[in-house]
Amino acid sequence: MRSIGEMARESGLGVSALRFYDRAGILVPDRVDPVTGYRWYAPEQLGEARVLARLRRAGMPLADVRLVLAGWTAADTDLVRRLLEAHLRRLQEGLSAARVEFSALRDLLDDRENPLMTSPRSAARLSVSGPGLAAALDAVRFAAGTDPDLPVLAGVHLDAEGDALHAVATDRYRMAVARTAVGGHGGGRVRATVPLPLVDAMRALLDGEDEVSLAVDDGRVTLEAGDRQTGGRCMEQDFPDYRRLVRLPAGRRAEVDVPAFTEAVRTGPVRRHEDGGTKSELTVLEVSEDGRVAPVPEGADGPDLVAVNRAFLLDALAAAADDRLVLEFGAPTTPLAIRRPGDEHTFSLLMPVRLSD
């Protein structure tokens, strides 16, 4: 007999997925302990679970999954083959339809971009606090992307307007935003996305400088710190409109002691997760009624649990550089916000990971 944790590790299905398929009557444990409620699976159920994991990864509808498993061990497998072929046809038809829609979207983008090709580039020279800019870059650098298919995310976006400069980075799964004050800029909004090698070169000049000059002009960004200078080309692609992405509904808030919480996450329970061939470890968090937040063990279940990539969470806690932080939880599908107490302008967002179908 296998416990639910053993079944999860050997089958490729998560614990929460096994619970879901139990409730749905698709893969029911051979025995459930009447006292503890622990689920136990018979040896022959491992093969069914592995088939179920493949069907799940292929996105087969639940009704068809139920029939495939029901007919999997039958002598006549014609129904199973027909269900598999029908689902493959649906996927192919869906892909064809998606190609049509994406082609139309690309045409719309072309129409939008053509008038913008002749628009002048914004220019400005900003006076910035060296420590303030250094802290802003440190707070967001960890969230920058590394996907070669999305080069515009492999940088830090600088957005100056009025007396504020925002630094933003995202790799789609997490986002970090920080703000520092600027002077000498009385014009409109000025934006530039700085590639990571130049970001790191800029950061190296900031140590020990109280005031620096940041210039954006004709697609270039230049940082002057005392008698030292670095600069280079900005990225030409438009950075996503991060202002739309950070408008989140208010959620439950819990303040944590960062050293203690970091240790709890680092040494606490994890759940294995695989998405598109990429494996990761998840930390599942729960906020108690008295406002405490902590990782929960693998067997925990409930509607308010929030699962996030453990490495991303540790990065965000370290980048915040504060002994106290506020974690803000919305729905399980809403990004987890990590904020400094009393500072609404510097924060990180982590995309949650679904624990069940």
Side-chain angles (χ1 to χ4, degrees), residues 24 32 64 71 132 162 242 283:
V32 178
D64 288 359
Y242 70 94
T283 291

Coordinates of all heavy atoms in Angstrom, one line a residue, residues 24 32 64 71 132 162 242 283:
A24 N -13.7 13.5 -7.0 CA -14.4 13.4 -8.3 C -14.8 11.9 -8.6 O -15.5 11.7 -9.6 CB -13.6 13.9 -9.4
V32 N -9.2 4.2 3.2 CA -9.1 5.5 4.0 C -9.2 5.2 5.4 O -10.2 4.5 5.9 CB -10.2 6.5 3.6 CG1 -10.0 7.8 4.4 CG2 -10.1 6.8 2.1
D64 N -14.1 12.7 -20.2 CA -13.3 11.7 -21.0 C -12.3 11.0 -20.2 O -12.1 9.8 -20.4 CB -12.7 12.4 -22.2 CG -13.6 12.9 -23.2 OD1 -14.9 12.7 -23.0 OD2 -13.2 13.5 -24.2
G71 N -12.1 2.2 -19.0 CA -11.9 1.2 -20.0 C -10.4 0.8 -20.2 O -10.1 0.0 -21.2
G132 N 19.5 56.1 -2.9 CA 18.1 55.8 -3.3 C 18.0 55.0 -4.6 O 17.2 54.0 -4.6
G162 N 7.2 63.4 -12.9 CA 7.2 64.3 -11.7 C 8.4 64.2 -10.9 O 9.6 64.3 -11.5
Y242 N 3.2 48.1 -16.5 CA 3.2 47.5 -15.2 C 2.2 48.2 -14.3 O 1.7 47.5 -13.3 CB 4.6 47.7 -14.5 CG 5.0 49.1 -14.1 CD1 4.7 49.6 -12.9 CD2 5.5 50.0 -15.1 CE1 5.0 50.9 -12.5 CE2 5.8 51.3 -14.7 CZ 5.6 51.7 -13.4 OH 5.9 53.0 -13.1
T283 N 6.3 26.5 -1.8 CA 6.0 26.7 -0.4 C 4.5 27.0 -0.4 O 4.0 27.9 -1.1 CB 6.8 27.8 0.2 OG1 8.2 27.4 0.3 CG2 6.3 28.1 1.6

